[in-house]
Amino acid sequence: MSAQTIQAPARRRRGINLEKWGWLFMRGSGVVLIVLIFGHLFVNLMVGEGIHALDFAFIAGKFATPFWQWWDVLMLWLALLHGGNGMRTIINDYVTHEKVRKALVWAVGLAAGLLIVLGTLVVFTFDPCLGVTESSTLWDTCVAAGVVGN
């Protein structure tokens, strides 16, 4: 009769466990996204005249205040990071070829990064008075702001 040997458990690598932090980020960002999205929908669809008030002037008014700018930017960033991390997880689970996996993860990261930069620029550089004419509904607002007219 021979004795069976039991393998010693593998030693855990030291350092940051990125998969654990990615898992925690998905849970936390999901909860925050639910609050941001439902707050966004409530304000846009339920408050005031509801969906009938949604037009360019409504969006211009929202983007004129830093609170709503940061609300929408935070929602954009979290949604893209959350989605990008989810895609990275799916790629890691199902793509077996190492080079293809790395290329796809890089592509997802670059796409998310580019969309974050472009979306942030749109929110913070939005100018509702650009191209406004005297027949526009925003003319009085832009004249009062001193942007057009004089």
Side-chain angles (χ1 to χ4, degrees):
M1 198 166 183
S2 66
Q4 292 180 344
T5 58
I6 298 174
Q7 291 281 349
R11 287 190 173 234
R12 187 167 171 241
R13 291 185 319 173
R14 299 279 181 204
I16 299 173
N17 185 347
L18 291 177
E19 289 300 321
K20 177 182 87 170
W21 288 107
W23 186 87
L24 289 171
F25 170 77
M26 291 298 276
R27 274 59 189 171
S29 66
V31 170
V32 175
L33 273 169
I34 287 173
V35 171
L36 290 172
I37 290 168
F38 281 111
H40 176 85
L41 290 173
F42 181 76
V43 167
N44 287 344
L45 302 177
M46 306 297 272
V47 175
E49 295 178 40
I51 196 167
H52 303 290
L54 282 180
D55 58 4
F56 183 80
F58 179 82
I59 302 302
K62 275 186 68 179
F63 281 171
T65 60
F67 176 80
W68 288 113
Q69 285 178 332
W70 282 106
W71 183 284
D72 284 353
V73 162
L74 183 60
M75 189 169 51
L76 171 80
W77 289 350
L78 281 178
L80 286 168
L81 292 172
H82 185 92
N85 191 36
M87 287 302 299
R88 181 195 62 83
T89 302
I90 291 170
I91 290 167
N92 285 339
D93 285 348
Y94 292 107
V95 178
T96 56
H97 194 269
E98 184 68 26
K99 288 183 180 181
V100 174
R101 181 171 48 244
K102 282 186 179 183
L104 288 173
V105 168
W106 270 96
V108 167
L110 288 173
L114 179 67
L115 289 172
I116 286 171
V117 168
L118 290 176
T120 303
L121 284 172
V122 165
V123 170
F124 287 120
T125 62
F126 180 76
D127 182 9
C129 295
L130 190 64
V132 170
T133 62
E134 289 187 45
S135 62
S136 172
T137 58
L138 290 175
W139 178 257
D140 294 332
T141 306
C142 293
V143 168
V147 179
V148 296
N150 296 340

